[in-house]
Amino acid sequence: MTLDTVKHAAETPDAPQPWAELGLKQDEYERIRAILGRRPTGAELAMYSVMWSEHCSYKSSKVHLRQFGEKAPANDALLVGIGENAGVVDAGQGYAVTFKVESHNHPSYIEPYQGAATGVGGIVRDILAMGARPVAVMDPLRFGAADHPDTKRVLPGVVSGIGGYGNCLGLPNIGGEVVFDPCYQGNPLVNALCVGVMKHEDIHLAKASGAGNKVILYGARTGGDGIGGVSVLASETFDSTGPAKRPAVQVGDPFQEKLLIECTLEVFRENLVTGIQDLGGAGLSCATSELASAGSGGMRVELDTVPLRDASLSPEEILMSESQERMCAIVEPGKVDRFLEICEKWDVIATVIGEVTDGERLEIFWHGEQIVDVPPRTVAHEGPVYERPYARPEWQDALQADDAAKLPRPATGEELREQVLKVVASPNQASKSWITGQYDRFVQGNTVLAQPEDSGMVRIDEETGLGVAVATDGNGRYTKLDPYAGAQLALAESYRNVAATGARPLAISNCLNFGSPEDPGVMWQFAEATRGLADGCLALGTPVTGGNVSLYNQTGDTAIHPTPVVAVLGVIDDVNRRTPMAFAEEGQLLYLLGDTREELGGSAWSQVIHDHLGGLPPAVDLDREKLLGEILISASRDGMIDAAHDLSDGGLIQAVVESCLRGGNGARLVVPDGTDPFVFLFSESAGRAVVAVPRSEELRFTDMCGARGLPATRVGVVDGESVEVQGQFSLPLEELRAAYEATLPALFG
Amino acid sequence: MARVVVDVMLKPEILDPQGQAVQRALPRLGFEGIAGVRQGKRFELEVEGPVDDAALARVHEMAETFLANTVIEDFTVRVETDADTVATTGTESGVRS
């Protein structure tokens, strides 16, 4: 086949091109022709097709995501906002923290181990590209029904992929979530988060400036991995004709990534880098066009200099390849030798593949012939934008009218006891240690809190004890019932989780997992959820620093529950002041903070006992969340509480059982007068936490709550070897532990 | 008892980090002239009863569903004859297509 050069393209305007196969729509192809004033070459078409895919261009979500910027709260802590590889937050004492959560859903369904592993690798490189040393990872996961045969294929693969990659890198995995629901059967959600730390002066941005500066590709060789992964895989629905078109699965190599991390941090330290970008989805197409687009000039690349794993790859394939463990740096000519020397020391292949020019075009050559000549902004930042139609689904009213309050409730203490055991043992509420035990949680020696604690926490300065805490939350059931409220509840829970450990929430990242944007009902869910999240962030004063959108999570016509996952990052001045969740001291008093209303819509109880989803999710009160957060942080700082646990799915009883099992102590609970015991135990009202208060601090603590107007109700005491609800039932810790811990090993062990 | 051998290899386009690690180690140990290394797995199955078409079909099925991950790996199934046995245990290389 003859090389499709720019010249050749101009001479053969009518040559048929496979734009549809590459996932482009007719009008998009026409637009490319209009931009270039001719038909694109094969290489140009390849670049546009991957960069204009849903995954890279956010073409369906962009109009809604703008709110995160427009409604961003004023926040001095934000050093770098949305748009870069990851946002950066001021952690104090000269430290900056960067974090981001991303999806790797579709690859993880096809090849669970490698899909999940490369998800970790990708997010780690994003953090690295900001100039930060990655210090921890977390993985929010969603699978189909726990007892479905395919879950037995997907879950163990995903878990060992995350563990395999993260453990080899030497990064602690400090938290995340695992949720089971039949709606994720054909579309598991594998989200990956990474946190990195640097000094303020070390922040690096992705742009190519300064004519004459060299473009260096370093890391692994380029192979046929994941060609078209973003355009075909992440941007279309699976159908029965899928397998033939499926691209080669990307395989991760964590040891190569470890070298890449150390090598990159060393070139940063010696100040050898002008701009940098990791290679992820859309590979070199993305890195070159984004670097050039964000910089001041153009760029010229000699594509035949790219080191290949498979010499038969065509230029189009090289541009689209998603081979892992690669980075692209912009380096001043005088610093190139030193840069290459450092790469060689780390056994990392590095090649000068081009240079920054003073033109305005991205020009790519193949053995001296020009195959790409495009304005880089049209590829990277000025892709199509769709105002997709959206409409509230017809079934929404019926769903909300199907109130969980009418479900039969336990009538006796004995029935209540049985249902508590069932909820505690249900896959969603049960202990996740079978999973998190496969991750290295304490490597590097800075982890002070990890799963099952409310948030993961790592120390970032050994002398002062400065630390960061991160929690991720999302509740697809709530969001299905009311997308606006559901997104805010995810934010509120994550915020509460961070505050419960004593850290001050500063900023958020989000991973928005939804069905097909071509379905107006799904688009409505997306619009409502983003609006809710943006309004929520404004109310809580926590800006969105970045994140990721994953659409087309559906099988046939059935979309997953809308699942916005929210990661909140907080800072704690001294990790020694942290609040754990364990009820460790007998005799301490248990206080329930916040108001308990009868709120059962979307609850764990309604799912486990009645397999029911309907009604409205718990009411959202963000002012209350903020107040609760302030109380939890002050109480932690001043030593007024010894334990705290946020209340979410499963309600008060789930939280008390978890804290009791964690501390090895029982608790006696007293149902407050006038409260229905069932509602007291199982309601999922938001804005609540349970805390253990030493008797000597009781007065000080209740005075503080009273003065600031936060309801604090004494509901019991840490005591004995069982969880007892007075007048209702008593459950020995041993029985609870057996129920709580046996479920996952029985399913997957 | 007859032996059926299932060889499992990563598909050619799939990255093989283990093979690469071996390849990088070779020159360090003084073995020059190797341009590429791919590492695979070999299963030796001792089959009870005759190795007829039905038995081979069964082995094929177990290879496809369990021994190999066909998303990223290819496999071959063959019956090992006496001649092969000599070749694979001796010092000569057992060349097979």
Side-chain angles (χ1 to χ4, degrees):
Chain A
M1 202 185 98
T2 55
L3 186 65
D4 192 15
T5 60
V6 170
K7 187 161 164 282
H8 182 250
E11 288 164 2
T12 54
D14 300 325
Q17 293 194 283
W19 49 268
E21 289 81 349
L22 288 169
L24 286 167
K25 305 280 186 251
Q26 171 97 40
D27 55 330
E28 292 171 349
Y29 177 65
E30 296 303 334
R31 202 174 139 204
I32 296 168
R33 292 188 70 120
I35 288 169
L36 298 177
R38 57 173 163 80
R39 78 161 173 88
T41 65
E44 288 166 342
L45 187 66
M47 289 184 85
Y48 279 106
S49 74
V50 287
M51 291 303 291
W52 284 13
S53 68
E54 187 64 59
H55 184 85
C56 289
S57 71
Y58 296 90
K59 57 190 171 190
S60 302
S61 54
K62 220 176 214 170
V63 292
H64 301 285
L65 299 177
R66 283 189 190 129
Q67 299 170 81
F68 294 148
E70 290 160 4
K71 295 182 189 169
N75 184 319
D76 296 340
L78 194 64
L79 299 174
V80 175
I82 302 183
E84 283 292 336
N85 284 311
V88 183
V89 178
D90 184 0
Q93 302 178 17
Y95 285 100
V97 180
T98 176
F99 74 123
K100 188 176 175 186
V101 58
E102 262 191 0
S103 63
H104 227 222
N105 304 339
H106 297 88
S108 301
Y109 177 65
I110 293 177
E111 202 334 272
Y113 185 100
Q114 295 298 344
T118 52
V120 175
I123 194 67
V124 165
R125 285 193 301 282
D126 262 341
I127 294 308
L128 182 60
M130 295 307 297
R133 172 176 284 280
V135 295
V137 292
M138 288 174 114
D139 290 87
L141 308 174
R142 307 280 184 289
F143 300 103
D147 54 1
H148 191 284
D150 200 49
T151 306
K152 283 191 178 54
R153 170 186 75 93
V154 177
L155 182 142
V158 164
V159 169
S160 52
I162 291 167
Y165 203 98
N167 294 355
C168 288
L169 279 185
L171 285 177
N173 191 312
I174 58 172
E177 312 149 80
V178 181
V179 177
F180 300 96
D181 192 293
C183 76
Y184 304 113
Q185 199 61 64
N187 273 95
L189 303 184
V190 176
N191 296 171
L193 175 146
C194 182
V195 193
V197 175
M198 68 195 123
K199 289 290 193 174
H200 283 188
E201 59 270 24
D202 293 335
I203 297 171
H204 282 78
L205 303 180
K207 60 179 179 189
S209 294
N213 285 346
K214 300 296 179 189
V215 181
I216 299 182
L217 178 66
Y218 67 108
R221 289 174 183 276
T222 299
D225 315 57
I227 287 174
V230 290
S231 57
V232 181
L233 213 49
S235 306
E236 294 290 342
T237 311
F238 287 128
D239 55 32
S240 53
T241 61
K245 270 169 68 180
R246 280 180 192 171
V249 170
Q250 311 134 325
V251 171
D253 180 356
F255 299 108
Q256 174 76 50
E257 178 109 335
K258 175 66 177 166
L259 295 175
L260 205 55
I261 293 173
E262 298 305 329
C263 174
T264 302
L265 291 173
E266 188 166 339
V267 296
F268 282 150
R269 256 199 317 275
E270 294 200 14
N271 201 20
L272 301 176
V273 177
T274 305
I276 195 156
Q277 169 98 39
D278 65 299
L279 272 70
L284 264 178
S285 293
C286 181
T288 52
S289 63
E290 285 195 351
L291 279 166
S293 175
S296 51
M299 185 185 286
R300 179 190 166 103
V301 173
E302 312 289 341
L303 200 60
D304 48 289
T305 57
V306 172
L308 300 181
R309 201 168 78 225
D310 171 359
S312 69
L313 288 182
S314 70
E316 289 85 353
E317 290 171 320
I318 296 168
L319 282 169
M320 287 197 286
S321 162
E322 296 186 1
S323 287
Q324 300 291 300
E325 291 95 22
R326 297 181 299 162
M327 306 273 287
C328 196
I330 306 297
V331 181
E332 287 171 25
K335 294 177 175 174
V336 167
D337 286 347
R338 180 61 190 145
F339 187 102
L340 298 179
E341 212 174 278
I342 290 172
C343 288
E344 194 175 343
K345 177 179 116 184
W346 290 105
D347 216 354
V348 167
I349 300 171
T351 315
V352 176
I353 61 165
E355 64 177 41
V356 178
T357 62
D358 50 13
E360 287 172 351
R361 314 284 287 187
L362 171 60
E363 299 174 273
I364 299 179
F365 293 79
W366 181 252
H367 295 291
E369 297 199 75
Q370 185 164 15
I371 54 169
V372 171
D373 180 14
V374 297
R377 285 200 70 81
T378 65
V379 180
H381 291 114
E382 291 166 3
V385 175
Y386 291 145
E387 301 260 1
R388 300 253 192 218
Y390 56 89
R392 192 170 191 269
E394 283 168 20
W395 45 259
Q396 196 76 33
D397 285 334
L399 184 70
Q400 292 185 345
D402 182 17
D403 195 344
K406 66 176 174 32
L407 298 169
R409 300 178 186 188
T412 63
E414 187 52 34
E415 277 179 41
L416 199 52
R417 181 186 196 277
E418 254 173 58
Q419 298 197 350
V420 167
L421 267 182
K422 268 193 192 157
V423 169
V424 164
S426 66
N428 282 342
Q429 310 308 318
S431 166
K432 301 300 181 300
S433 51
W434 184 86
I435 289 169
T436 52
Q438 299 185 43
Y439 306 151
D440 195 337
R441 285 166 288 168
F442 300 103
V443 65
Q444 297 194 359
N446 285 319
T447 305
V448 291
L449 292 176
Q451 270 278 27
E453 298 285 341
D454 283 3
S455 66
M457 189 183 286
V458 288
R459 181 179 57 188
I460 61 175
D461 189 297
E462 279 186 38
E463 283 183 10
T464 65
L466 180 68
V468 292
V470 187
T472 71
D473 287 289
N475 188 318
R477 284 166 57 82
Y478 289 169
T479 315
K480 173 114 182 192
L481 297 178
D482 181 341
Y484 182 89
Q488 292 197 336
L489 285 163
L491 168 67
E493 186 183 345
S494 194
Y495 184 93
R496 204 183 312 136
N497 272 320
V498 166
T501 57
R504 193 161 32 90
L506 282 185
I508 78 151
S509 175
N510 56 42
C511 191
L512 307 173
N513 306 278
F514 288 76
S516 167
E518 293 162 37
D519 174 342
V522 170
M523 216 46 225
W524 174 79
Q525 293 172 332
F526 186 81
E528 283 295 287
T530 43
R531 191 169 66 86
L533 201 49
D535 290 348
C537 286
L538 187 57
L540 290 177
T542 48
V544 178
T545 62
N548 160 259
V549 177
S550 174
L551 300 176
Y552 295 97
N553 291 292
Q554 64 179 59
T555 309
D557 289 338
T558 316
I560 59 162
H561 290 341
T563 312
V565 170
V566 179
V568 169
L569 177 130
V571 167
I572 184 165
D573 294 334
D574 182 356
V575 295
N576 290 313
R577 288 269 173 215
R578 71 188 179 273
T579 312
M581 65 180 274
F583 294 162
E585 290 282 334
E586 280 202 303
Q588 294 196 338
L589 304 169
L590 297 179
Y591 270 85
L592 172 61
L593 309 181
D595 290 306
T596 305
R597 291 172 296 268
E598 187 181 311
E599 293 179 302
L600 300 163
S603 65
W605 174 81
S606 71
Q607 183 181 32
V608 175
I609 306 297
H610 296 287
D611 192 17
H612 176 270
L613 176 59
L616 289 171
V620 182
D621 180 347
L622 295 171
D623 288 336
R624 171 57 66 78
E625 296 287 352
K626 216 169 169 177
L627 175 62
L628 175 68
E630 284 165 10
I631 293 280
L632 287 168
I633 296 161
S634 302
S636 153
R637 196 183 48 228
D638 296 343
M640 285 186 258
I641 54 176
D642 272 12
H645 196 9
D646 98 296
L647 265 53
S648 54
D649 6 341
L652 174 69
I653 190 64
Q654 179 72 26
V656 168
V657 166
E658 287 174 0
S659 290
C660 282
L661 290 176
R662 184 87 168 142
N665 284 305
R668 258 183 299 128
L669 298 179
V670 181
V671 182
D673 288 340
T675 307
D676 177 60
F678 161 75
V679 171
F680 175 65
L681 296 179
F682 281 122
S683 165
E684 297 187 2
S685 295
R688 298 186 302 159
V690 58
V691 293
V693 184
R695 285 177 189 270
S696 58
E697 301 297 327
E698 183 181 16
L699 199 58
R700 204 153 69 101
F701 181 71
T702 51
D703 278 355
M704 175 175 73
C705 292
R708 297 170 83 163
L710 181 71
T713 315
R714 188 163 146 178
V715 293
V717 60
V718 179
D719 184 39
E721 298 291 321
S722 53
V723 173
E724 185 190 339
V725 180
Q726 266 183 7
Q728 298 296 323
F729 64 84
S730 175
L731 271 165
L733 280 189
E734 267 177 50
E735 195 176 347
L736 281 168
R737 193 179 295 282
Y740 183 62
E741 292 180 356
T743 308
L744 261 56
L747 284 163
F748 304 105
Chain B
M1 243 183 311
R3 172 178 290 177
V4 177
V5 175
V6 180
D7 284 313
V8 179
M9 289 297 292
L10 282 170
K11 291 179 179 176
E13 69 274 20
I14 299 282
L15 174 69
D16 176 11
Q18 289 186 75
Q20 285 191 343
V22 173
Q23 190 189 341
R24 277 197 301 269
L26 287 173
R28 281 204 295 272
L29 298 169
F31 300 105
E32 301 292 342
I34 302 300
V37 177
R38 305 281 291 172
Q39 182 175 329
K41 280 181 288 199
R42 170 187 163 105
F43 298 90
E44 297 180 345
L45 309 176
E46 309 296 337
V47 179
E48 288 174 348
V51 182
D52 49 17
D53 285 353
L56 280 176
R58 228 171 41 245
V59 171
H60 211 273
E61 190 188 342
M62 70 179 82
E64 182 148 16
T65 53
F66 181 52
L67 301 181
N69 174 359
T70 53
V71 178
I72 57 174
E73 292 170 329
D74 291 329
F75 65 89
T76 56
V77 176
R78 65 194 164 80
V79 183
E80 194 165 80
T81 62
D82 289 347
D84 278 335
T85 310
V86 171
T88 50
T89 54
T91 49
E92 290 175 31
S93 62
V95 179
R96 42 187 171 266
S97 57

